[in-house]
Amino acid sequence: MRTLRTLHIALAVLTFSSAASAFAEAPYPVEQPFVSTLSRAQVKQQLIEAEHQGLLSQGDDYPVLSEAPSQLSRQDVERQLQTAQSVHGDATYAGA
């Protein structure tokens, strides 16, 4: 009687463990390792050429190119932040 119960438990464990592996996720399509065909110097040269041709976005996309350094002091920036937070509240996203 005890061996029959042990056999049933062993079969249940085996069944559940094989069923769980059926739900395992595999990446699709299969991920291939990235292999660069360009050297770092070639990539930098392409970036410089794109900048000269005006092909880089100046908006929210990378890279954001700054025209000139900011003329504001740290205190000016902190004052702007405090003003914005008092008007709009603290709208900083803190995670889920």
Side-chain angles (χ1 to χ4, degrees):
M1 178 78 104
R2 185 172 185 180
T3 58
L4 185 59
R5 183 179 300 166
T6 306
L7 179 63
H8 283 277
I9 292 173
L11 287 174
V13 168
L14 181 63
T15 302
F16 287 123
S17 65
S18 63
S21 67
F23 291 104
E25 291 186 29
Y28 182 82
V30 178
E31 295 177 10
Q32 299 294 324
F34 176 76
V35 179
S36 178
T37 58
L38 300 175
S39 70
R40 181 180 294 262
Q42 289 171 317
V43 171
K44 285 183 177 181
Q45 184 59 39
Q46 286 182 349
L47 178 61
I48 291 169
E49 290 172 7
E51 286 175 346
H52 289 305
Q53 295 172 5
L55 299 176
L56 296 180
S57 173
Q58 296 290 322
D60 293 335
D61 300 328
Y62 175 83
V64 176
L65 302 175
S66 165
E67 297 291 324
S70 174
Q71 301 300 318
L72 298 175
S73 69
R74 182 177 184 89
Q75 290 78 19
D76 293 335
V77 173
E78 288 175 350
R79 215 173 296 114
Q80 285 180 352
L81 175 63
Q82 290 171 354
T83 302
Q85 286 177 340
S86 67
V87 172
H88 303 291
D90 188 7
T92 305
Y93 178 71

